Amino acid sequence: MLFLYDTGIYLYTLFIRIASIKNKKAAAWINGRKGLIPFIESSLHKNKNYTWFHFASLGEFEQGRPVLERLKSENPEMHVVITFFSPSGYEIRKNYALADHVFYLPTDTSANAKEFIRILNPVMAIFTKYEYWYHYFDELHKNNIPLYVISGIFRKEQVFFKWYGGLHRKMLSKVSHFFVQNQNSSNLLNDIGFKNVTVNGDTRFDRVEYNATHTAEIKIIRDFTKDNKIFIAGSTWPDDEKLISKLAYSFPDWKFIIAPHEVKPERTNEITELFPNSIRYSEINSMLSETIDNQNISSTFQVLIIDNIGLLSSAYQYGDIAYIGGGFGVGIHNTLEAAAFGLPVIFGPNYQRFNEAVELITAGAAFTIKDQEELRKCMENLQTDIKREACGKAALNYVKTHTGATRAILNFIGKFK
């Protein structure tokens, strides 16, 4: 089985290398790993004790961030090394202030894992939600280095629970402790013999609550919205935007903010064409010193397109209703960021794999729609202040009652450091 695993890693890397000829993200994945082990060795200080955090991508970083930041706050002398699997995480967080170093994770081969662990020699390793790498887990275990999986979530269809998943179950045996999001994950692990499991929820709740209570003002968005009711759509895809464009036409008294999942020029061009009465965030920046001032922008345009990365999580503070994209594709994006600001949440039909979305619907804080007519009816239903505020209060209460996972993890780790 290990031979098949290693072959799979080799073939995956080969596929990415071929794709890198035309795909920029694949090229970044390959280029970021060239000469990586020697670079890491030359960068690290041999006399420092590092704590290693690994994240698949940006979403997992934001999920594990509360643990990293609280651990650093309580242990200021702690030295942190972060690794990312994906370029989308690395490129955005490569200069993260609380990390001594941020690297790509070298490909999971036996040789790479031995060299990386030898060079880093971490006091502990913390992996968030996903990412299970056999050779890294094995090497940490051989060197008696604690390995924690936080905000883990397991489903019965995963390979760990199949008759042919022996190697992957062996991989799990290298983990010192699992902190999982729900009881079902704990039951699945218990059924295959793992008792080193704590159900303590999802650290994302701690992150979104902190963000909602410590968010900075965004003057351009504040001036654009003024005293209008705001429909803010986050992480949208074309199918979402087509529905919302018709909604904007039907509700001319509302302002709309669109933050697409991808901010490539071709995508923002498409959105601009869908929303004729729109302006891009970057355009306002350039216009402020010219002929159009904020007053004119607010009165002239109905739709603001956020064409940069990093504003969405703070922009929700200006919203009255939130729409989360992705529900007409493989699945919805982050609903909790909006819920933490006390906004009713709307999303498309593909949400069942996301427990928080299901629970937000049950709490009366979220609504799912299948087409244009259902979106219009949902919007009409939320027109009254009483209804909208009741749903928003339910959303905020849902977030607040699920915080605390970070503290539980740190209390556990503190006993064994």
Side-chain angles (χ1 to χ4, degrees):
M1 288 299 293
L2 184 56
F3 171 77
L4 293 177
Y5 176 86
D6 289 341
T7 301
I9 294 292
Y10 171 80
L11 292 175
Y12 179 84
T13 305
L14 179 62
F15 173 79
I16 296 294
R17 191 174 299 279
I18 294 170
S20 69
I21 298 171
K22 293 184 178 181
N23 185 287
K24 291 182 179 179
K25 187 173 181 180
W29 194 96
I30 292 295
N31 292 333
R33 288 169 168 80
K34 288 180 178 177
L36 184 54
I37 293 289
F39 174 71
I40 292 173
E41 184 159 30
S42 66
S43 301
L44 297 183
H45 195 289
K46 289 184 173 58
N47 295 323
K48 288 184 178 179
N49 295 320
Y50 292 104
T51 296
W52 175 26
F53 283 84
H54 174 71
F55 307 104
S57 191
L58 185 61
E60 287 74 22
F61 170 83
E62 293 298 333
Q63 190 167 26
R65 186 173 179 176
V67 174
L68 191 162
E69 293 185 348
R70 187 74 65 83
L71 196 58
K72 179 69 174 178
S73 173
E74 297 179 6
N75 302 274
E77 75 290 347
M78 183 179 77
H79 298 286
V80 174
V81 166
I82 292 174
T83 57
F84 284 102
F85 179 78
S86 167
S88 60
Y90 175 82
E91 292 299 331
I92 294 173
R93 294 302 180 189
K94 60 186 176 184
N95 297 314
Y96 179 60
L98 293 188
D100 294 68
H101 304 279
V102 181
F103 305 114
Y104 278 103
L105 181 71
T107 308
D108 186 35
T109 66
S110 178
N112 282 347
K114 287 178 181 178
E115 281 296 283
F116 180 84
I117 299 303
R118 177 189 65 80
I119 295 165
L120 181 60
N121 191 28
V123 295
M124 73 174 101
I126 299 174
F127 280 52
T128 298
K129 193 177 181 178
Y130 298 128
E131 295 284 281
Y132 300 93
W133 298 112
Y134 179 85
H135 294 294
Y136 283 106
F137 280 28
D138 187 47
E139 205 60 33
L140 288 166
H141 185 70
K142 287 177 180 177
N143 286 274
N144 297 312
I145 298 167
L147 166 61
Y148 303 106
V149 171
I150 64 173
S151 292
I153 190 159
F154 293 88
R155 300 181 180 89
K156 62 180 181 180
E157 62 268 20
Q158 289 173 308
V159 66
F160 309 110
F161 312 108
K162 302 296 185 182
W163 65 266
Y164 51 82
L167 180 71
H168 292 80
R169 287 189 287 275
K170 185 177 180 182
M171 194 186 309
L172 296 182
S173 72
K174 316 296 183 181
V175 176
S176 304
H177 201 86
F178 298 91
F179 298 93
V180 296
Q181 295 184 29
N182 53 40
Q183 189 61 48
N184 182 61
S185 295
S186 178
N187 293 342
L188 286 168
L189 289 171
N190 292 166
D191 288 346
I192 57 173
F194 295 104
K195 308 300 180 184
N196 53 332
V197 185
T198 298
V199 180
N200 73 321
D202 188 345
T203 53
R204 282 186 304 163
F205 287 94
D206 299 316
R207 176 59 192 163
V208 298
E209 184 194 42
Y210 180 89
N211 176 68
T213 55
H214 292 79
T215 192
E217 181 179 79
I218 309 172
K219 187 176 185 301
I220 288 176
I221 298 181
R222 183 203 67 192
D223 291 343
F224 170 80
T225 58
K226 288 198 171 293
D227 298 322
N228 297 281
K229 296 298 183 187
I230 307 300
F231 184 101
I232 180 166
S235 301
T236 58
W237 292 85
D239 286 341
D240 304 302
E241 293 144 12
K242 290 173 185 176
L243 297 182
I244 298 167
S245 67
K246 296 177 182 177
L247 194 70
Y249 181 81
S250 300
F251 293 86
D253 295 336
W254 279 68
K255 295 274 192 180
F256 287 73
I257 297 175
I258 312 295
H261 180 66
E262 295 178 331
V263 293
K264 300 174 183 177
E266 54 267 32
R267 283 286 293 117
T268 52
N269 288 340
E270 291 173 359
I271 299 169
T272 302
E273 291 179 6
L274 272 175
F275 296 91
N277 192 16
S278 65
I279 188 168
R280 304 181 198 198
Y281 184 91
S282 59
E283 288 181 286
I284 299 179
N285 264 333
S286 64
M287 288 176 176
L288 290 181
S289 60
E290 300 176 4
T291 56
I292 299 180
D293 60 22
N294 283 16
Q295 294 289 336
N296 291 331
I297 288 169
S298 179
S299 60
T300 302
F301 299 98
Q302 184 192 14
V303 180
L304 174 63
I305 301 168
I306 304 296
D307 56 349
N308 64 11
I309 295 174
L311 283 183
L312 177 59
S313 62
S314 297
Y316 283 121
Q317 67 183 295
Y318 301 101
D320 294 282
I321 297 174
Y323 178 100
I324 308 302
F328 289 92
V330 295
I332 59 172
H333 293 286
N334 191 335
T335 57
L336 294 180
E337 287 181 337
F341 282 99
L343 302 186
V345 182
I346 305 170
F347 41 77
N350 295 337
Y351 67 89
Q352 293 83 358
R353 292 189 298 110
F354 303 90
N355 189 58
E356 64 275 12
V358 175
E359 292 182 344
L360 282 167
I361 290 175
T362 302
F367 307 88
T368 181
I369 54 99
K370 296 192 293 291
D371 53 34
Q372 179 65 47
E373 181 61 18
E374 288 192 358
L375 177 58
R376 185 188 62 78
K377 288 181 179 179
C378 188
M379 184 71 165
E380 288 179 346
N381 182 42
L382 293 170
Q383 286 299 294
T384 65
D385 291 343
I386 293 175
K387 176 64 173 178
R388 198 169 53 250
E389 289 170 6
C391 294
K393 185 176 180 180
L396 183 59
N397 183 64
Y398 172 74
V399 172
K400 288 187 173 182
T401 57
H402 285 77
T403 58
T406 298
R407 183 73 268 162
I409 291 169
L410 264 62
N411 286 343
F412 184 97
I413 291 174
K415 297 176 184 178
F416 297 94
K417 282 200 304 182

